[in-house]
Amino acid sequence: MSEKPRTVSGMRPTGPLHLGHYFGVLRNWIDLQEREQAFFFVADWHALTSDYADPSAIRRNIDEMVKDWVAAGLDPEKCVIFRQSDVKEHAELSLLLSMITPVSWLERNPTYKEQQQQISNKDLGNAGFLCYPVLMAADILMYRPHGVPVGEDQLPHMELTREIARRFNYLYGETFPEPQALLTPAAKCPGLDGRKMSKSYGNGISLSEPMASIRDKVRGMFTDKARLRKSDPGDPDICNLFPYHVLLSSPEEQMEIRRGCTSATLGCVDCKKIFLKNLAAFLEPLQERRAKLDDKAVTDILAAGGERARAFAATTMNAVREKMGL
């Protein structure tokens, strides 16, 4: 039997995971673990690129994020779950790739520019933040995957990873495949304020958040800005809430919501009540599974996954050193 194709992806442990993580990435991961050799890592070194001044929360966030992953459906028997810093080969490959990566490639990164403008409460002028796409490329290329499950905002990083792979192959000989982006079909999950849902912006609904807290947030959520009163017809296609119905409501409910919104017979308050009902049905089983996981279970998962990841990384680095004459 031929070997399964490989995939790899990771997340930074910078806070609670939200609905955008689930529908934008995690749901895709859960599907991929069934049919591919899947490596999923906690990107704690990446977290330091922005949280270097106070890394005290990273350790706690690591454990909490792995609990979210497993509660959402990742199975450590079906995929490799590990911590980035447990595999030192990632740092070595990142250093070697930085030698061949032009600074201009990093400076044109749109995510780098966006976060410099949007995040004003942290100093992001450090070299680690500028160079994190190189570390990301090392994380990916280490496992020589055919594809990487990512959200749309990560597409520029994927292109840069392919460029770095091409440059390495040109200079030293064919070593790395050029991985493709594996986008989840329903990746749109806007933030409560209309921007992209992001931990950095504090505009999301976390997977572990109590429904009482969520209800308060949803009451103040942006909907259709042009609909000031219930008697005003709305447009679901520009409403900030309707994408959530696409993700969580049945097709029949979506039709009723669209009909009621455009005819002004369904108000935003009632529309939000439907969303909250369906959200509770989605989150409650996930949160029940999460409550059964303790810190020891997380430690065991990361230890076993780290051992498997290091074994694979060692083979890649042996090949890289040989190609580079080291």
Side-chain angles (χ1 to χ4, degrees):
M1 182 180 294
S2 61
E3 189 178 70
K4 287 182 178 180
R6 278 186 303 277
T7 188
V8 60
S9 194
M11 287 186 190
R12 298 192 307 158
T14 54
L17 297 190
H18 52 61
L19 290 177
H21 292 115
Y22 180 84
F23 290 106
V25 179
L26 270 180
R27 186 169 64 174
N28 204 13
W29 287 14
I30 294 163
D31 176 57
L32 288 169
Q33 73 177 348
E34 301 293 338
R35 51 190 171 85
E36 306 210 2
Q37 296 181 72
F39 292 80
F40 301 128
F41 64 93
V42 180
D44 52 343
W45 281 337
H46 278 293
L48 285 172
T49 63
S50 58
D51 294 343
Y52 60 88
D54 181 13
S56 58
I58 293 178
R59 172 69 258 185
R60 181 179 69 255
N61 289 338
I62 290 171
D63 292 348
E64 295 305 307
M65 189 166 74
V66 172
K67 290 176 184 178
D68 281 341
W69 287 3
V70 177
L74 284 188
D75 184 345
E77 297 297 322
K78 297 179 179 179
C79 63
V80 181
I81 298 174
F82 67 100
R83 179 170 41 217
Q84 181 186 33
S85 62
D86 285 341
V87 186
K88 307 307 181 188
E89 289 85 351
H90 284 233
E92 181 182 2
L93 183 56
S94 177
L95 173 67
L96 296 177
L97 295 179
S98 72
M99 304 302 179
I100 66 170
T101 303
V103 173
S104 60
W105 289 7
L106 304 176
E107 291 176 334
R108 77 186 187 204
N109 174 16
T111 305
Y112 173 74
K113 297 175 183 176
E114 174 196 341
Q115 298 218 341
Q116 286 275 17
Q117 296 168 355
Q118 295 279 357
I119 301 175
S120 58
N121 62 337
K122 296 178 182 178
D123 181 2
L124 299 181
N126 54 312
F129 187 74
L130 174 65
C131 297
Y132 82 87
V134 181
L135 177 57
M136 180 177 172
D139 297 331
I140 293 169
L141 297 177
M142 183 70 73
Y143 302 95
R144 304 191 296 277
H146 80 100
V148 179
V150 293
E152 290 184 6
D153 59 332
Q154 294 296 314
L155 290 178
H157 295 296
M158 285 303 305
E159 181 53 36
L160 179 57
T161 295
R162 288 192 290 270
E163 288 179 335
I164 292 173
R166 283 194 292 269
R167 187 169 175 83
F168 187 98
N169 293 342
Y170 173 77
L171 291 171
Y172 306 113
E174 196 67 28
T175 307
F176 298 114
E178 295 182 22
Q180 302 301 310
L182 305 176
L183 283 172
T184 185
K188 185 180 180 183
C189 196
L192 301 178
D193 58 1
R195 293 187 294 175
K196 177 184 71 174
M197 185 176 288
S198 169
K199 287 181 288 189
S200 302
Y201 303 151
N203 62 355
I205 295 172
S206 70
L207 299 179
S208 58
E209 191 168 355
M211 283 304 300
S213 170
I214 294 173
R215 288 188 187 95
D216 290 339
K217 285 184 175 181
V218 170
R219 288 191 184 104
M221 181 181 180
F222 288 169
T223 51
D224 180 351
K225 295 180 181 180
R227 193 179 187 193
L228 303 178
R229 296 169 297 274
K230 180 179 178 179
S231 57
D232 296 329
D235 182 355
D237 294 325
I238 63 172
C239 176
N240 197 50
L241 177 60
F242 193 72
Y244 289 93
H245 287 299
V246 173
L247 297 172
L248 292 166
S249 300
S250 68
E252 293 76 18
E253 281 181 314
Q254 291 178 45
M255 290 178 61
E256 287 298 318
I257 291 166
R258 181 176 288 278
R259 185 180 302 113
C261 180
T262 55
S263 65
T265 57
L266 179 70
C268 294
V269 172
D270 291 328
C271 190
K272 288 178 179 180
K273 287 179 180 178
I274 298 171
F275 165 54
L276 287 168
K277 170 187 67 96
N278 292 329
L279 181 61
F282 167 73
L283 286 180
E284 284 169 3
L286 187 154
Q287 292 180 356
E288 288 175 4
R289 291 191 295 269
R290 194 184 195 283
K292 297 176 182 178
L293 296 166
D294 58 19
D295 292 344
K296 184 182 183 303
V298 173
T299 298
D300 293 345
I301 289 169
L302 292 176
E307 184 176 352
R308 294 169 66 187
R310 283 192 298 273
F312 194 100
T315 64
T316 296
M317 291 313 301
N318 285 339
V320 167
R321 295 185 202 108
E322 182 179 352
K323 289 289 181 70
M324 298 185 74
L326 299 174

